Amino acid sequence: MNALSIVQTRAGDVCIVTLSGRIDSTNANDVKDELTRLISSGEKSILVDLGAVRYLTSAAFRALLVATHEADHQAANFALCSLGGQVRELFEMGGLLEVFAIHNSREEALKQLGGSVLRAP
Amino acid sequence: MTRPPDLIYAVNEDPPWPILVVSALQHIGLMAITLIFPIVLAREANLAGTQFLDLVSLSMLGLGVANICFSARSRFIGSGYLCGAAYTAIFLGPSLFALQQGGLALVFGMTVVAGLVQVAFAPLLRRLRALLPSEIAGLVIAVVGLTLAGLGVRYGLGIDAQQQKINPDYVIVAGISLATMTVLNIWSKGYGKMFCVLIGMLVGYAVSAVLGIFDLARIVPEGGLSVVRFPRFEHVGWSFDPVLVAPFAVASLAATLRAMGDVSNAQRINDADWVRPNFGSLAGAVSANGVAVMFCGLVGSSGLNTYSSSIGLSGATGVTSRSIGYAIGFGFCLLAFIPPTAVALAAMPLPVMGAALFFTAAFVFTSGLQMITARMLDARKTLVIGFSFAMAVVADLYHDALMEVPIVLQPIFGNSLVLGTVCAVVLNLILRIGVRQRVSIKLAPGGINREAVEQFLSAQGARWAARRDVIHRAIFGVVQVLEVVGEPRGGVEVEASFDEFNLDVQMRYVGLPVTIPERKPTPREIVASEDGERLLAGYLLRQSADRITAREAGGSVEMTLHYDH
C-alpha cells in the first residue's frame, strides 16, 4: 500500500494520528494541514504513529517540523512513535532523532503522555 | 557495529581475570591440537629426544607470537578481533615436499618465503576484493569445517591410514568427551557453557588415562624433564629453492583466503548488523599471518594460519573479547619454556583431539554456510560455489588419483582446501565477464510516476540479487531527487548499473542540479521556507548515498548517486 492514509483515534487525552503509506511532496501538505488543524483546535497531546509508513522524504520531515513548531507555540505535547527500520534510518541520516520527541512504541508514548493504551484500528 | 545481545563478553569488553585465564586455557587446549602438524614434520625428519622437544617448544612460541599478532589492533598488523592462530594442513603438503628435497633447513627457509608472500598480499586485498567476495570466504570456511569434521572423526574413531578399523576405546573416550561438550553447550549457562570444550577435553583426558590411552610415562625423555628450559636451535637452519616458491605461494594464497574468511566470521559474530567485511581488519590479519609465518620459519617450525575452530569456539561460548587473544599469546610464550606442558599437550590423546575438532567443526561449517547464503545467489555465483565445493570434496575422495598430476600442481590438487579455493577464485574471475549490467527508464513529463521508479528499481534489485537495504537507499535517493527537480521539461531519464560491488544510478534532466549542502540545515531553516526543505533534501541525499556527483552542460544535468555494495 503506497497511498497515504491518515487515521485518528483517541486514548484518554491523547489524540493519536496513525499515518501509513508513503509521505512525499505530493501529500506532505495533507499531513501538515491535518496536524496543524488539530493543534489549532486545542488538542494538548498529539501522538503521530509512523509504524506503517513505508518511507518519507524531506517534504514529510518539513511537515512534521512545522507541526512541532506549531505545538511549541500552543504549549501542546507533540510526539512520534514506532519508527520502523528505513524510516528510523532516514531520521538518523538527517540528524533529526534529537529534534523530535520519539518513543519506541505507542504504549511507551502513551505512558509518557498520560493517555491509556489503545490499539490502532 | 551493533553488539549482538547473545554475547557474554564482546570484542572490546574485558572479562574478569578468572574468566580471562580459563577462557585462554580453553583456546590453548584447542589450539594445541594443531601442534600435530609440526610434530608430523619432526617425526618425518626423524627428530628425537631434546631436538624433538625443542621443535615442539619453539612451535608453541610461534603460536604465542601469532596469537598476539592476530589479535592486535594497529594500523598495519592485527585483525583487532579474538582471532586464534594454529598450525595448519595447508602448509603441511609443501613442507613435506621441501623436507624430501632439502631437509628441515629448506622447510624453514621456504616457510619464511611463504610469510613474505602473505605480507605482500595484505596491502592488495582491497584492490583484489572483486576477486575475493565474501561468499568465497564463506566457502573456504565451510570447507575448513568439513575438513575439521573429517579429521575429528578419524581421530575420534582411532582410524589410521594403514588400518581402516575403529578402535572401541577411542570411541568411548571421544563419545564421552563430545557428549560432555554438547550437553554443557546446550543445556548449561554461565561457566558451563563458556568452558564446555575445556571441560569436555579434561573429561576426555581422565577417561583416556583410565583406559590406558594417555600414558605420560611413555613420552617423557629418558633423562627426565626440567620444569623450566630454554629451547635450543640445534635443528634450525635455512635454505631456499626457487622451484618450491610456487607451492608455498599457493599455500600462502589459501592461508590468506582462510584468514579473510575467519576474520570476516569474527567480525560477523561481533556485529549484529554485519553486511560486508572490513578490509582494514582483514589486511591487518593477513599481514599478521605473514609476519607470524616468517617468525615460525625463523625459529624452526612450520607455517600457521588463523584458526576457524577458535573463532567457532568464541561464537559458541559468547566470549569474544580481544584481551583473551593476548592472554592466549602470552600463555603460549610462557608454556614454551615449561617442557612438561609441551609434553602434555604434544601427547594429547587422539580421541580427545577428535571430539574437540568435531564439536567446533559444527560451528565453523554453519558459519561458512551463513556467509554464503547471506547473499542471494544468482546462477553465476551458484556455479562458482557449487563447483568449487564439489571439487574440494572430490580432492579428498579421489586423493590418490589426483596426485598423478605434475609435481608443480600437486600442492593444489592434493589438498581439498587449496583445490576448492583455487577453483573458486579462478571460476569467479572467469564468470565475472559481463557481470556489470545497465538498465534505464524514461519518465515522461507531466505527472512523473514515482511508484514506477520504485517498482523499476525493486524489480532490478531482485534480478541482480542486490542487497535489499542498498536498493531501498537508491529508491529513496531517486525519489528525493525527483521531488526537488519537480517536473523538468523533457522528463527524467533514470539509468541504473550494477556489479557485485557498485550500484550507480544516473539521472538526466534539463534544469538545475540539486544543491548538496556541506552542513545539516537547522530545524528553523527547514521550517522557515521551502529552500530549507531543499537543503534538507540535499543533505539527506549526501548522507544516504556513498558518493554523489552532479555534472551540468548546456542546461542539462546528470546526477550520479553511487552506492557501495
Side-chain angles (χ1 to χ4, degrees), chain A residues 13-32:
Chain A
D13 291 335
V14 182
C15 175
I16 303 169
V17 180
T18 305
L19 303 178
S20 55
R22 194 173 56 196
I23 315 174
D24 57 23
S25 62
T26 61
N27 52 28
N29 276 339
D30 298 342
V31 175
K32 187 182 74 179

Side-chain angles (χ1 to χ4, degrees), chain A residues 1-5 19-23 27 52-56:
Chain A
M1 189 181 73
N2 285 325
L4 170 69
S5 107
L19 303 178
S20 55
R22 194 173 56 196
I23 315 174
N27 52 28
V53 171
R54 285 193 58 190
Y55 72 77
L56 29 70

Side-chain angles (χ1 to χ4, degrees), chain A residues 2 22 24-26 54-59 61-62 65-66 69 86 89-90 93-96 99, chain B residues 450-451 454 472-473 475-476 479-480 483 520 523 526-530 533 536-537 539-540 543-544:
Chain A
N2 285 325
R22 194 173 56 196
D24 57 23
S25 62
T26 61
R54 285 193 58 190
Y55 72 77
L56 29 70
T57 64
S58 55
F61 284 118
R62 180 161 189 266
L65 280 169
V66 168
H69 190 69
Q86 203 196 349
E89 261 178 43
L90 288 168
M93 279 182 212
L96 295 164
V99 176
Chain B
R450 292 167 196 181
E451 218 164 301
E454 191 179 339
H472 280 161
R473 278 161 58 208
I475 290 172
F476 167 78
V479 170
Q480 186 65 82
E483 193 165 293
K520 183 174 75 175
I526 299 166
V527 169
S529 73
E530 290 189 354
E533 183 191 315
L536 176 63
Y539 183 74
L540 285 169
Q543 295 297 105
S544 69

Side-chain angles (χ1 to χ4, degrees), chain B residues 141-163:
Chain B
I141 295 290
V143 173
V144 168
L146 212 55
T147 310
L148 289 174
L151 208 56
V153 169
R154 188 148 69 84
Y155 290 166
L157 301 183
I159 300 168
D160 61 37
Q162 284 80 36
Q163 213 175 356

